[in-house]
Amino acid sequence: MSEPIPFNRPFVSGGELAYLEQAIAARNLAGGGEFTRRCQEWLRERTGASLALLSHSATGALEAAMMLAELGPGDEAVMPSFGYPTMATAAVRQGATPVFVEIDPATLNVDPERVAAVVGERTKAIVAVHYGGIACEMGRLGEIASANGLRVIEDAAHCLLAAQDGQALGSIGDLGAISFHETKNVTCGEGGVLLVNDPALAERAQVIWDKGTNRSQFLRGEVDRYTWVEVGSSFGASELTAAFLLAQLEAAEEVTARRRGIWDRYHAAFEELEHEGRAQRPATPAGSLHNGHVYYLVLPSEAIRAAFIARLRAQGVATVFHFVPLHSSPAGERFGRAEGSLAHTEEMAGRLVRLPLFAELSDADVERVIEATRAAVLELT
Ligand SMILES: Cc1ncc(COP(=O)(O)O)c(C=O)c1O
C-alpha cells in the first residue's frame, strides 16, 4: 500500500529555529517583547484591527472578548450550535447563558434570521463562527446588533487571511479571535490573537490582557508604578511562542496560496458528485475569500459517512468529521439553551467529512485523495 496520507500535518516554515535562537539570546522570554510586538504589528496591519493582542489560544481571546463585551450573570450570547465548545465556555465563565441557534445548511454558518428571532432583553452579544474560513453574513448580523445594542464577537479561529468584501475576517465585528493551534494554517503549537476593532475597547483590552493591571500604561511611562485595576487574566503568549509564530506569519501568504490551490482542486473535482446529488460541497458566498482552511463534503447520511471514513482509512487516507452540536452536548444542556429547530445543525454535523488539507500535501497525494473519494462516494451513494 502507498504511504498513508494524514488528515493534517502542521506547517513548518524553516525560519522558526533562527528566531527562537534570537529570542533566547535576547534573554527576554516572557510576553511583550520584540517578537510579540512584531507578530502583533503583522496581524494588525494585515487585518486592519485597531489592536492585536497575541494570546496562548483563540480560547483565551474569546474569554477576553466576553469580558470586554461585559457579559454577566443573567445575560445571553447568541451563537450557532455548530461551533467549538470554548466559544460557549467563554460566555458561561462570565455567568452568562449561551443561546444556541441554527445554521444555514449551505455555508454551515449561523443563520442571521434565527439570530434576529431570539434576540431579547437579556441578549448582550452575537457570536459569529466563520466555518472553515468562509464568512458569515456579517452585514445582516451587524444590522441586528446595531438595532439591539449588541456586541458582535467573531470566532475567526479558522480565518487567518480569509476575507469578506476585502475586509479580513476577525476585523469586522467589535472583537475577533483567530487561532494558531497546530491544526490551523499557520501555527505556533498553541496560540491565538484577539483583534480589538472598536478603538473604545483598546485600553481596557490591554488591562484585561495583562493580568488586570495597568502595566501597559506603566511601560509607556504614563504611570510611575503598575497595579491591579480590573478583573483580568494572563492571556498573553511568551516570546518563544511569538518567535516561532513570526517565522510562520512571514510565510502565511505562501501557505495560504498552496492551501487554496488544493481546496480549488478538490472543489473542481467534486462538482459532478454534487450535480448528481451524491455529496454537497462548501458554498462560497459572493465576495468571500476563503483561506483553504477546511475542505469538506456533506454525504447523504451518517451511515454513509461512517462507511466512507472506514473505506478511505483502509486505503491509507485519513478523513475526519468535525463539530459535535453544542446544544445537545452534556455541558450545552447544562449551561446553555437551544432556540428553535436545530435540524440542519444535527444533519450537517452527522454527515460532514473533512478531507486531508495541508501545505505539504503533494499534487500526487491530492489526486490520490480525489480518486479514493470519488470511488467511495460513487459506490456508497
Ligand atoms: C471555531 C473554533 N473556535 C475556537 C477554537 C479554539 O481555538 P484554540 O485551540 O486556539 O483555543 C477552535 C479550535 O479548533 C475552533 O475550531
Side-chain angles (χ1 to χ4, degrees), residues 57-59 84 86 129 155 157-158 179 181 184 191 323:
S57 60
T59 296
Y84 197 72
T86 55
V129 184
D155 181 343
H158 300 173
S179 173
H181 182 265
K184 304 304 183 288
F323 302 140

Side-chain angles (χ1 to χ4, degrees), residues 161-329:
L161 297 184
Q164 176 67 40
D165 299 324
Q167 247 190 303
L169 301 190
S171 75
I172 305 171
D174 297 294
L175 297 149
I178 296 179
S179 173
F180 303 119
H181 182 265
E182 73 162 24
T183 49
K184 304 304 183 288
N185 293 12
V186 158
T187 182
C188 49
E190 300 276 358
V193 65
L194 174 73
L195 301 178
V196 181
N197 306 317
D198 176 351
L201 295 175
E203 190 61 47
R204 206 171 147 243
Q206 291 179 71
V207 169
I208 285 176
W209 210 250
D210 222 346
K211 303 163 192 180
T213 73
N214 57 352
R215 186 164 164 272
S216 60
Q217 280 182 306
F218 172 70
L219 294 176
R220 292 197 298 268
E222 292 166 17
V223 290
D224 61 3
R225 75 184 95 154
Y226 79 85
T227 185
W228 182 28
V229 292
E230 240 291 11
V231 174
S233 192
S234 184
F235 284 120
S238 83
E239 276 288 282
L240 299 177
T241 295
F244 192 102
L245 183 65
L246 184 64
Q248 297 246 331
L249 291 175
E250 288 174 348
E253 296 283 2
E254 194 187 312
V255 176
T256 307
R258 171 69 189 148
R259 294 184 72 118
R260 277 191 190 120
I262 298 170
W263 196 104
D264 291 344
R265 178 74 194 96
Y266 283 152
H267 205 56
F270 303 131
E271 190 177 357
E272 214 171 298
L273 294 181
E274 187 170 57
H275 285 164
E276 291 167 357
R278 298 173 188 271
Q280 175 189 321
R281 298 178 304 160
T284 46
S288 106
L289 173 69
H290 73 77
N291 60 352
H293 181 55
V294 170
Y295 196 87
Y296 69 83
L297 291 175
V298 180
L299 298 173
S301 72
E302 196 160 346
I304 290 175
R305 178 180 74 176
F308 175 90
I309 292 175
R311 186 171 294 228
L312 264 73
R313 189 186 310 118
Q315 294 172 38
V317 179
T319 62
V320 294
F321 53 84
H322 210 173
F323 302 140
V324 174
L326 296 175
H327 70 278
S328 52
S329 65

Side-chain angles (χ1 to χ4, degrees), residues 99-124:
V99 177
F100 300 116
V101 295
E102 184 64 296
I103 48 170
D104 172 343
T107 57
L108 315 190
N109 287 334
V110 72
D111 177 343
E113 297 322 314
R114 301 296 288 270
V115 173
V118 304
V119 164
E121 295 266 286
R122 292 169 179 261
T123 314
K124 209 60 182 276

